[in-house]
Amino acid sequence: MPKLSKLLISKRVIILAVIGILLFIGISQFNISLWYVLLFGIITGVVFGKVFCRWMCPMGFIMEMIMGRNPDSKFGAMYQYHKMGCPIAWISGYLNKWSLFKIKLNIDTCKNCGLCDKQCYISSLEPTKYSLYKADKTDPGKSYSCSKCLKCVEVCPNGSLAYKAFK
Ligand code: SF4
Ligand code: SF4
């Protein structure tokens, strides 16, 4: 994985905090309409999928601090999986299927180690339905619940998963 991607994924919570605080200041101090925020969330959804919740949302940051931080916590995983947050989450979640950027698997380099599925809160909660590398299962990256934490990409030892627009 390129060093920049690795760095961005490892600093995701800091990026979420910074953008979330800037957005909160913009909304509260400069009276930015929530309609613009909604429009922004939808545009980012068309391009990147459901990135707003885990990379930009002030409420998402607060909720993640309270509930979603511990990857080993079943409660945290359940929160990430089921959250129906707000209209941005609803719309961008359904856009995961059609967004320009997607999580893509290189089957030629995948060693079937299963680390990606263990890290993913979707496939770890529903292993009989979802998998990032098993061809007979549904891709969790295209499901409503994937909020592009990109842990699957980060954890793959072979660089077989990439979040990108084109092959
Ligand atoms: S980005 Fe990867 S690990 Fe995170 S929820 Fe989506 S498929 Fe799962
Ligand atoms: S972590 Fe990488 S190599 Fe292992 S199963 Fe997933 S995609 Fe394949």
Side-chain angles (χ1 to χ4, degrees):
M1 188 186 359
K3 276 187 183 153
L4 180 62
S5 308
K6 204 170 188 146
L7 182 72
L8 287 175
I9 296 170
S10 68
K11 304 293 178 204
R12 181 189 61 79
V13 178
I14 296 170
I15 296 169
L16 168 65
V18 171
I19 300 179
I21 288 166
L22 289 175
L23 208 56
F24 177 76
I25 292 170
I27 293 166
S28 57
Q29 300 298 312
F30 301 103
N31 294 322
I32 293 176
S33 165
L34 286 175
W35 289 109
Y36 286 123
V37 179
L38 178 61
L39 183 65
F40 177 68
I42 294 171
I43 291 169
T44 58
V46 169
V47 179
F48 298 107
K50 191 181 178 182
V51 290
F52 189 85
C53 308
R54 302 259 272 176
W55 289 84
M56 302 173 198
C57 177
M59 273 311 292
F61 174 66
I62 292 167
M63 296 303 282
E64 187 161 339
M65 287 301 104
I66 297 169
M67 291 197 271
R69 285 282 282 151
N70 183 357
D72 300 324
S73 145
K74 199 84 175 165
F75 187 53
M78 290 295 281
Y79 158 69
Q80 294 296 349
Y81 186 81
H82 291 293
K83 75 179 164 191
M84 293 294 283
C86 72
I88 295 176
W90 305 334
I91 297 168
S92 62
Y94 287 108
L95 285 170
N96 273 338
K97 275 196 186 82
W98 298 284
S99 60
L100 186 60
F101 277 72
K102 290 191 183 74
I103 297 157
K104 291 178 180 164
L105 171 70
N106 181 345
I107 43 170
D108 297 332
T109 59
C110 174
K111 302 276 191 275
N112 300 330
C113 68
L115 285 174
C116 49
D117 280 352
K118 278 196 193 114
Q119 274 297 317
C120 176
Y121 54 84
I122 300 167
S123 44
S124 63
L125 280 172
E126 281 200 77
T128 54
K129 182 175 178 189
Y130 291 106
S131 174
L132 281 141
Y133 68 99
K134 291 176 186 162
D136 60 334
K137 304 264 192 288
T138 305
D139 177 1
K142 289 185 186 159
S143 79
Y144 165 85
S145 297
C146 173
S147 47
K148 307 298 177 238
C149 65
L150 301 183
K151 280 180 178 261
C152 50
V153 175
E154 184 181 33
V155 81
C156 178
N158 304 307
S160 305
L161 290 168
Y163 176 55
K164 58 185 181 181
F166 305 102
K167 271 269 178 199

